[in-house]
Amino acid sequence: MKSIISIDVLTKLGGLAKQTFLKAFLALLIITGCIGIVLIRNMDPVFLPNFLGTDLVACLFLAWVFLLWKTEPPILPLSILGAVPLIIGIGAFLMTGNWMWWLVVIFGYAGWAIWSNYFRAPALRVAMQQWKAGNAERAILVLDRYIESHASSSDAYQHRAWFRLDRAQYLEAEQDIQTALRLKPRSYFSHYILGRILLEQGRIPEARESLEAAVRLGPGRGISYLSLGIIYHLEAEHILAVEALCNGVGWGLPNTSNYFLAYYYMGRNLDALGQSASGARAYELMARYRKGYDKLVAVLQTDSSPETPTSKLYRTDLSDMRRRLNLEIKHT
């Protein structure tokens, strides 16, 4: 790699993924739309309703399509019917100029979102609440009962595999996630969980294949890039590791520990590429997530499976992490 990697530029753009161009395009479209509103309001107020009904509607529609595509490609064709009320609302507004049609569409989508999140599968929500509260056994029991009467629910198998992964029940977790993938083969999250399960079992080539599939199916999900970047680091593929970790940070990660690890291994791989200046910048950004280091230490101290590849990697690198954070406190 001849050029110097700019960590700040890559992470703000979302990494090296091609999808960042679409991300930037949507942002620019919204900005130009807002500028256009001001200009048209000053120049021709009569034309304002038509402008709002075209330019900003296009922004909204493209953002909606982008979010669907980014989340999981298979739901895009299945969600085309969801655009029907949107198109009807747009058409009615353009013909009548009545904003009430927009309110109907907004309330319709809000109602659908509330139903989808809270009433479609309440057992999944209860299981997630139990898991977040630290009651993993209770969460798995809730899913066991739900699966008895909903054997075709890929989400239920996916959640149970996730909880079992967290409890280091790798064989049971793999069985669940394979079932979820048979029911829904193109779920990015199922491929991500399978990759994590395989990684923790030391099946690195298979884990890499699953995580690369997760990235292809959900290119806007940072957590998949983080695990993939760790695999590239383990395989000493430094350029791929930097690219994946930049994508992970750029698209967003769930917590401070994830950001801490992403920037740390970004720095390690940049150092290996001879780009010490960019590596130093990565370590500076890593230091902003000092709490992530504390959480990582706490997790490793209570780790029930210390011989997994990731656990062994993090334990080996703890002293170097501590050195780069200029910490004098010794952790075991």
Side-chain angles (χ1 to χ4, degrees):
M1 184 178 290
K2 296 180 180 179
S3 60
I4 300 293
I5 297 176
S6 173
I7 299 302
D8 296 298
V9 172
L10 288 181
T11 54
K12 287 180 181 178
L13 286 177
L16 299 174
K18 296 178 181 178
Q19 293 77 20
T20 55
F21 292 100
L22 180 57
K23 190 177 179 181
F25 170 73
L26 288 174
L28 290 172
L29 187 59
I30 293 173
I31 292 172
T32 55
C34 294
I35 294 173
I37 290 177
V38 175
L39 294 177
I40 291 177
R41 178 179 295 171
N42 293 334
M43 297 174 60
D44 188 359
V46 177
F47 189 65
L48 181 59
N50 288 330
F51 177 81
L52 288 173
T54 54
D55 199 12
L56 292 186
V57 166
C59 290
L60 178 63
F61 181 75
L62 287 174
W64 172 76
V65 171
F66 172 61
L67 289 174
L68 289 178
W69 167 79
K70 187 178 82 166
T71 303
E72 198 171 313
I75 71 172
L76 183 56
L78 296 177
S79 301
I80 294 299
L81 291 177
V84 172
L86 182 63
I87 295 172
I88 294 174
I90 293 171
F93 168 73
L94 292 175
M95 289 188 294
T96 65
N98 190 344
W99 283 97
M100 288 300 295
W101 290 104
W102 271 111
L103 293 178
V104 170
V105 173
I106 291 172
F107 283 123
Y109 274 98
W112 174 82
I114 292 172
W115 173 83
S116 178
N117 289 321
Y118 294 100
F119 299 104
R120 179 177 63 88
L124 299 182
R125 179 166 53 88
V126 171
M128 182 61 73
Q129 290 172 344
Q130 292 290 337
W131 181 71
K132 288 181 177 179
N135 302 322
E137 288 288 351
R138 176 62 182 169
I140 292 174
L141 181 60
V142 170
L143 291 175
D144 289 343
R145 294 174 178 173
Y146 182 75
I147 288 173
E148 287 178 1
S149 56
H150 298 80
S152 61
S153 173
S154 64
D155 289 343
Y157 288 103
Q158 185 185 82
H159 279 67
R160 194 166 68 176
W162 186 8
F163 301 158
R164 284 175 166 171
L165 167 64
D166 188 57
R167 294 180 60 79
Q169 299 173 355
Y170 301 128
L171 295 180
E172 297 87 346
E174 186 175 355
Q175 291 174 355
D176 277 341
I177 206 61
Q178 293 289 8
T179 302
L181 283 168
R182 283 196 295 272
L183 294 168
K184 197 173 183 181
R186 293 179 59 80
S187 167
Y188 96 89
F189 194 60
S190 291
H191 282 282
Y192 162 71
I193 294 176
L194 177 58
R196 285 281 314 281
I197 294 169
L198 295 170
L199 173 59
E200 298 309 319
Q201 295 181 84
R203 297 155 65 181
I204 305 299
E206 296 172 81
R208 173 173 174 166
E209 183 179 350
S210 293
L211 288 167
E212 286 175 344
V215 164
R216 287 195 301 271
L217 293 170
R221 300 295 179 167
I223 192 63
S224 299
Y225 288 106
L226 174 59
S227 296
L228 187 57
I230 296 298
I231 288 180
Y232 290 147
H233 172 75
L234 289 171
E235 296 184 329
E237 297 194 37
H238 306 300
I239 295 177
L240 292 178
V242 172
E243 179 179 345
L245 294 169
C246 283
N247 278 323
V249 171
W251 285 110
L253 297 169
N255 55 56
T256 55
S257 294
N258 294 148
Y259 280 102
F260 178 83
L261 289 171
Y263 280 121
Y264 173 74
Y265 287 107
M266 198 185 298
R268 287 283 302 274
N269 284 276
L270 286 166
D271 287 344
L273 290 169
Q275 299 192 17
S276 57
S278 295
R281 177 56 180 161
Y283 296 131
E284 288 178 11
L285 294 171
M286 175 196 74
R288 298 180 182 179
Y289 299 93
R290 158 66 196 278
K291 292 182 179 180
Y293 169 81
D294 296 332
K295 291 181 179 179
L296 177 63
V297 171
V299 169
L300 291 176
Q301 288 175 338
T302 59
D303 191 2
S304 60
S305 52
E307 296 304 313
T308 62
T310 53
S311 182
K312 291 168 68 176
L313 174 67
Y314 301 154
R315 289 177 188 277
T316 300
D317 291 335
L318 269 183
S319 59
D320 186 60
M321 295 175 184
R322 191 162 56 243
R323 178 178 66 83
R324 296 184 187 281
L325 288 171
N326 295 318
L327 296 179
E328 298 299 332
I329 302 175
K330 294 185 178 180
H331 296 278
T332 57

